[in-house]
Amino acid sequence: MNATHTVTNQVPPLVGHDPIAGDTALVEACLRHADELTLDSLEDLGALAGSEQAAEWGRLANENPPRLRTHDRTGHRIDEVEFHPAWHELMSAAVGHGLAGTPWALAEAGDAHAHVRRAVGYLGWTQVEAGHGCPVTMTYAAVPALRRAPELAVVFEAGLTSTSYEVGLADPRAKAGLVAGMGMTEKQGGSDVRAGTTKAVARIDGTYHLTGHKWFTSAPMSDVFLVLAQTEEGVSCFLVPRMLPDGERNVFRLQRLKDKLGDRSNASSEVEFDRTVGWLVGEPGRGVRAILEMVTTTRLDCVLGSASTVRAALTQALHHARHRSAFGARLVDQPLMQNVLADVAVESEAATALAIRLAAAQDAGETDFLRLAGAAGKFFVCKRTPAVVAEALEVLGGNGYVEESVLPRLYRQSPLNSIWEGSGNVIALDVLRAMERDSASVAAVLAEVEAAAGADDRFDAAVARLRAELADPADLPLRARRVAGQLALCLQGSLLLQHAPGAVADAFCATRLAGDWGSVLGTLPAGTAVAEIVDRAVVAPV
Ligand SMILES: Cc1cc2nc3c(=O)[nH]c(=O)nc-3n(C[C@H](O)[C@H](O)[C@H](O)COP(=O)(O)OP(=O)(O)OC[C@H]3O[C@@H](n4cnc5c(N)ncnc54)[C@H](O)[C@@H]3O)c2cc1C
């Protein structure tokens, strides 16, 4: 066959990089809030995350989404979800490297940086594939909630904090490693969990029978679930195992799997309970409080997950721009492309800095700070992500829009963290609630903001606007997004002014805190050190 053309100027695949050790902003955040030892302990995970093998697992897990098997060959209900082996490889790597419940055990054993270690690992590793981050997160978040029921924690905590990933249905008390899920959302309402209609009836043996449904329950192959149901006392929280101690399957009818926009490697199901056995977690009628323990922790992971998605998109965009030429020069060397890449890099560094700061608050037990900063961060970082990923996608031109690139996958994933664990409005209203109820939270967040006072006039002006916004009681619910957004921006500004190079902090202040920001990315003003920002953001090859 005659060759019709020579293929040139196409970009080689991105493999052989290290999204942890090669990411300067992430490394600096890790060293700031933890130490060299912590960073070194993530060496193998970082190398795996940048490998061809891991990229292939990510592709396969998404191109072969989970399948529901409700019945076996003979018509018995089995309610199983079948995954591609690549999914299990991803899960095994994440759990094996301590990204699920492990930090709680390490912290108890005296590791002062257990949560930062996990956060840095999670931010780096989930760039490979975001969907499996969901069960990893829920397992992490189940531990503090379960501690409300010490008699249950003593049985299940070892499994939830273990580094073993054990596939298959078995008595959770006998498994070396456990995965946890949660069931709150029902058909009539997700945000308003008090509207749940699932009923729980106490039994003579101290357990409860749950009857009702959940409209969304992700990772339905998990071993145990934290589930909300109504008792006489009100909304209560239960631990529901899939397998009962006597070796019988608990009733956990999977009705359907959701056909989702993204997050396709992960299964999200509709479940029905029919006298399903559950153990009470905490006091009856105090279920919202118990599950909030879990949700506060999953919100931290929403920030980490979105920072991860933004970073993954940025890495792809930088790689493309460094290998692709147009009009006689590499894209990365052309001023307007440098502006776009630098602006995305600033967004990525701000998200990373805030995410790891939140994890450090978990290590330090700064609950007041975490309560408010976590909610504001979840609102803002997750809300920004789709726009930032779209811009990174466009750096690849048409190649970014086709499924052979990972950008479509990142783009489809990008709105999700803003929806679950408190959708945008709900989380913004929660920011107000945290401020009203807990003046210590406001004080803790403002103390972090004020740590950069005087470093930049534009920042000082933004903080003054924030203080005026907080002091104004008029129409607060209407202004909730403004308040949450400004809180997050001032926090990010403070962190960057304290810790990032001047070029990054200056670009952030010139746009996010002043000027006409709110339009499109790639509009950093003249004089911004775009080349320096881009250089810093490049993930060095291993
Ligand atoms: C892929 C995926 C997986 C999921 N997995 C799980 C899971 O494992 N377990 C689980 O329990 N749930 C899960 N969910 C459900 C998710 O947590 C809910 O969808 C979310 O909490 C919103 O609830 P809802 O869908 O009922 O929307 P609604 O509560 O009806 O809210 C709709 C909209 O109204 C807004 N809103 C609500 N109240 C107010 C108000 N007072 N003022 C202004 N605006 C308001 C919300 O912000 C939202 O934008 C999952 C969802 C998705 C998409």
Side-chain angles (χ1 to χ4, degrees):
M1 215 169 20
N2 287 335
T4 59
H5 64 290
T6 308
V7 178
T8 61
N9 201 24
Q10 286 282 27
V11 174
L14 172 65
V15 287
H17 64 297
D18 185 334
I20 298 175
D23 178 349
T24 307
L26 184 59
V27 166
E28 288 178 7
C30 182
L31 296 179
R32 186 155 70 235
H33 296 296
D35 51 23
E36 288 277 357
L37 218 62
T38 304
L39 188 62
D40 292 350
S41 74
L42 295 164
E43 196 179 327
D44 291 348
L45 183 64
L48 183 62
S51 70
E52 205 172 339
Q53 173 69 87
E56 187 62 358
W57 289 336
R59 183 184 73 77
L60 288 168
N62 281 274
E63 289 183 4
N64 301 278
R67 293 204 298 175
L68 176 60
R69 301 268 181 234
T70 52
H71 295 80
D72 69 8
R73 185 181 57 82
T74 56
H76 296 98
R77 276 205 88 107
I78 52 168
D79 298 296
E80 285 291 346
V81 182
E82 217 170 69
F83 287 85
H84 190 276
W87 165 268
H88 296 302
E89 296 286 0
L90 292 164
M91 284 295 296
S92 180
V95 175
H97 282 90
L99 304 187
T102 309
W104 302 105
L106 294 180
E108 232 167 45
D111 183 342
H113 308 305
H115 294 283
V116 166
R117 178 197 180 276
R118 174 195 178 266
V120 172
Y122 187 99
L123 203 160
W125 172 252
T126 54
Q127 290 176 45
V128 171
E129 204 286 314
H132 78 292
C134 167
V136 171
T137 287
M138 290 195 291
T139 307
Y140 173 59
V143 177
L146 202 58
R147 285 182 174 173
R148 289 189 161 260
E151 71 286 0
L152 294 177
V154 94
V155 179
F156 296 108
E157 194 167 310
L160 293 168
T161 57
S162 123
T163 49
S164 301
Y165 174 63
E166 245 192 83
V167 185
L169 188 63
D171 179 351
R173 295 170 314 163
K175 285 182 85 172
L178 298 176
V179 175
M182 67 178 169
M184 297 183 292
T185 309
E186 298 190 3
K187 292 186 177 99
Q188 67 281 0
S191 311
D192 185 4
V193 289
R194 290 183 197 279
T197 60
T198 297
K199 294 260 179 310
V201 179
R203 300 166 77 209
I204 197 103
D205 65 358
T207 64
Y208 283 74
H209 265 163
L210 275 61
T211 301
H213 81 283
K214 295 294 161 187
W215 184 230
F216 277 94
T217 299
S218 290
M221 67 294 157
S222 300
D223 300 288
V224 291
F225 297 81
L226 286 170
V227 174
L228 291 184
Q230 302 277 359
T231 59
E232 280 171 10
E233 295 85 354
V235 180
S236 307
C237 182
F238 296 90
L239 186 76
V240 172
R242 265 207 312 143
M243 174 71 98
L244 292 169
D246 60 9
E248 285 283 310
R249 283 170 188 273
N250 206 356
V251 181
F252 202 86
R253 287 189 204 127
L254 302 181
Q255 304 297 98
R256 285 196 292 183
L257 295 188
K258 301 289 194 186
D259 188 6
K260 296 175 286 185
L261 167 68
D263 197 48
R264 299 192 76 83
S265 65
N266 181 27
S268 301
S269 67
E270 295 167 20
V271 186
E272 282 195 10
F273 304 125
D274 185 2
R275 281 163 295 151
T276 299
V277 177
W279 296 293
L280 185 67
V281 177
E283 292 166 44
R286 311 277 286 178
V288 174
R289 181 175 280 259
I291 209 117
L292 269 182
E293 198 89 54
M294 185 167 184
V295 171
T296 306
T297 316
T298 55
R299 284 176 183 172
L300 164 64
D301 273 25
C302 290
V303 184
L304 284 169
S306 290
S308 161
T309 301
V310 165
R311 180 63 245 199
L314 169 64
T315 301
Q316 293 286 341
L318 287 166
H319 178 71
H320 187 88
R322 280 155 49 88
H323 289 88
R324 179 86 167 178
S325 298
F327 302 100
R330 287 193 314 162
L331 289 172
V332 74
D333 296 326
Q334 306 202 29
L336 189 51
M337 183 56 93
Q338 286 182 336
N339 197 329
V340 171
L341 292 168
D343 218 356
V344 173
V346 167
E347 194 79 26
S348 174
E349 180 148 358
T352 296
L354 181 53
I356 304 302
R357 173 66 183 89
L358 293 173
Q362 187 71 269
D363 272 326
E366 294 174 86
T367 46
D368 293 328
F369 176 80
L370 203 51
R371 171 74 184 90
L372 181 56
K378 149 79 164 108
F379 169 73
F380 192 71
V381 173
C382 302
K383 189 56 75 187
R384 291 285 300 150
T385 299
V388 182
V389 173
E391 202 58 69
L393 183 153
E394 192 173 320
V395 171
L396 278 74
N399 290 329
Y401 199 72
V402 297
E403 293 291 339
E404 280 155 332
S405 153
V406 300
L407 266 305
R409 198 167 94 206
L410 295 173
Y411 185 63
R412 285 193 296 266
Q413 192 78 25
S414 65
L416 182 53
N417 280 322
S418 187
I419 295 172
W420 58 19
E421 315 309 326
S423 304
N425 286 352
V426 170
I427 199 91
L429 292 169
D430 192 55
V431 165
L432 297 187
R433 200 168 307 119
M435 283 170 24
E436 271 161 31
R437 290 196 187 158
D438 195 353
S439 55
S441 280
V442 180
V445 170
L446 287 178
E448 179 72 67
V449 167
E450 290 292 356
D456 185 287
D457 290 347
R458 297 158 298 186
F459 173 74
D460 291 343
V463 175
R465 284 198 302 277
L466 170 67
R467 284 190 175 279
E469 200 69 71
L470 297 182
D472 180 1
D475 288 332
L476 261 178
L478 184 89
R479 292 168 30 230
R481 282 185 179 223
R482 282 178 71 88
V483 172
Q486 286 186 11
L487 259 176
L489 276 171
C490 285
L491 264 175
Q492 289 184 323
S494 172
L495 291 169
L496 294 183
L497 282 165
Q498 289 178 72
H499 307 297
V504 175
D506 176 58
F508 187 89
C509 292
T511 48
R512 280 78 173 161
L513 300 183
D516 61 353
W517 189 63
S519 55
V520 291
L521 287 161
T523 49
L524 296 170
T528 306
V530 285
E532 187 188 326
I533 298 171
V534 169
D535 276 354
R536 174 176 168 80
V538 171
V539 173
V542 196

